[in-house]
Amino acid sequence: MTRNARRVAFVSDRHGTPEVFVQDVVVGADPPEPVRIRLSDDPVIRVTWSSDGEWLAVAIATDGGVKQQVWVVRPDGTDAAQIAGSRYQHAELGPWSRSGHRVVITLPSTEADQPARSYLVDPVSGDRDDLAVGELIHILDLSVEERLVVLRDGQRGREFVVVVDRLTDESTRCSRTHRTARPRSPSSDRRPPARPVRSSPTSPPRTGCPAADSSRSPSARTAGAEHPAGSQSATTPSWSTSTPTTPDGPCCSSGTSTAGASSTS
């Protein structure tokens, strides 16, 4: 549902294959017929609204299997584009930024010794900014100015949640599930589960989308995000966009704070 509670998006198989539908919310009267949004012949798994209500992000099961694609589309069905995933590459749909201008995608590694990588994607231009890298990361949420990232990491039965500060490269563990009897080496407990990464010219391009509009500045891609009072730090690294010197308050109870690994060059 949109933040103003005027429209709802849902998945239905009323025409055979699960698809996205958008419907106005009416109180005290019969609801109107929902708008059917057709993106692919493959079944839709999930749909989410951007915070500003201007976009929908849709997860689609490629060929009905376990691999997924991520699409973006306007609520009226226009400007549809596939931004990640294919028949050979799984893509995970993450949360929208609080401004609604970018959405998170995570691409698991296709190689055993390579980590998963998460990106912030602009649905208009298709630009990708590196967000985090880790073994089995899943992005859960972002702070308003996109400085703090809440993520889940770890293998099944040993998962934990951390908050990573993209500016200071520090992580704070919030919770962890009950540890199983399977042993884990002490060194793995000291290894930071994930770290923020700088943007790279080699970041993979968006698939099936128009070229980026060169008139859109990097700041325009995050326009609308609210910032706490105070000027920006002169030492803010290039990968950290719109990060103020004063961070958000803690999002969880105080716990052990561990320094993250150094950012990659």
Side-chain angles (χ1 to χ4, degrees):
M1 181 177 288
T2 56
R3 297 179 68 178
N4 60 13
R6 293 182 178 178
R7 287 184 295 179
V8 62
F10 58 92
V11 178
S12 172
D13 61 356
R14 62 186 62 187
H15 296 292
T17 301
E19 297 176 297
V20 176
F21 293 82
V22 175
Q23 188 172 35
D24 293 337
V25 176
V26 177
V27 178
D30 293 334
E33 189 68 19
V35 176
R36 180 184 182 186
I37 298 179
R38 302 197 65 179
L39 299 174
S40 168
D41 292 334
D42 296 328
V44 171
I45 302 281
R46 179 187 173 204
V47 59
T48 61
W49 283 98
S50 63
S51 300
D52 57 9
E54 296 295 322
W55 289 93
L56 293 169
V58 184
I60 294 178
T62 305
D63 296 330
V66 296
K67 290 185 173 64
Q68 296 179 19
Q69 308 166 20
V70 178
W71 290 65
V72 290
V73 62
R74 298 283 188 181
D76 61 0
T78 61
D79 296 335
Q82 181 183 344
I83 62 173
S86 67
R87 182 170 282 104
Y88 309 103
Q89 171 69 62
H90 173 69
E92 178 181 302
L93 172 61
W96 284 91
S97 64
R98 300 299 179 92
S99 66
H101 294 175
R102 299 201 287 181
V103 64
V104 175
I105 62 167
T106 299
L107 302 180
S109 172
T110 56
E111 302 293 336
D113 58 344
Q114 295 297 318
R117 302 184 72 91
S118 295
Y119 303 91
L120 278 167
V121 182
D122 184 331
V124 176
S125 67
D127 291 344
R128 288 185 183 181
D129 287 337
D130 293 307
L131 179 62
V133 59
E135 183 180 1
L136 295 169
I137 57 174
H138 304 272
I139 306 300
L140 304 179
D141 204 357
L142 299 168
S143 61
V144 172
E145 82 292 351
E146 300 175 1
R147 172 175 172 173
L148 303 180
V149 182
V150 184
L151 59 87
R152 186 178 78 246
D153 198 0
Q155 298 179 356
R156 180 176 300 178
R158 294 182 294 171
E159 294 181 317
F160 51 89
V161 175
V162 295
V163 179
V164 179
D165 189 322
R166 300 175 65 200
L167 181 59
T168 64
D169 207 11
E170 294 181 346
S171 61
T172 303
R173 183 168 294 190
C174 295
S175 65
R176 179 171 54 190
T177 58
H178 178 70
R179 181 178 295 185
T180 62
R182 182 179 179 181
R184 181 164 62 172
S185 64
S187 60
S188 65
D189 283 334
R190 294 194 295 269
R191 179 180 59 82
R195 63 183 186 275
V197 291
R198 292 184 175 89
S199 298
S200 169
T202 60
S203 294
R206 182 191 199 188
T207 57
C209 68
D213 184 354
S214 59
S215 65
R216 290 171 56 85
S217 64
S219 60
R221 294 200 300 272
T222 56
E226 300 177 5
H227 303 278
S231 59
Q232 291 184 341
S233 170
T235 60
T236 301
S238 59
W239 51 259
S240 182
T241 59
S242 303
T243 49
T245 55
T246 303
D248 286 354
C251 69
C252 57
S253 59
S254 61
T256 303
S257 177
T258 59
S262 300
S263 301
T264 58
S265 299

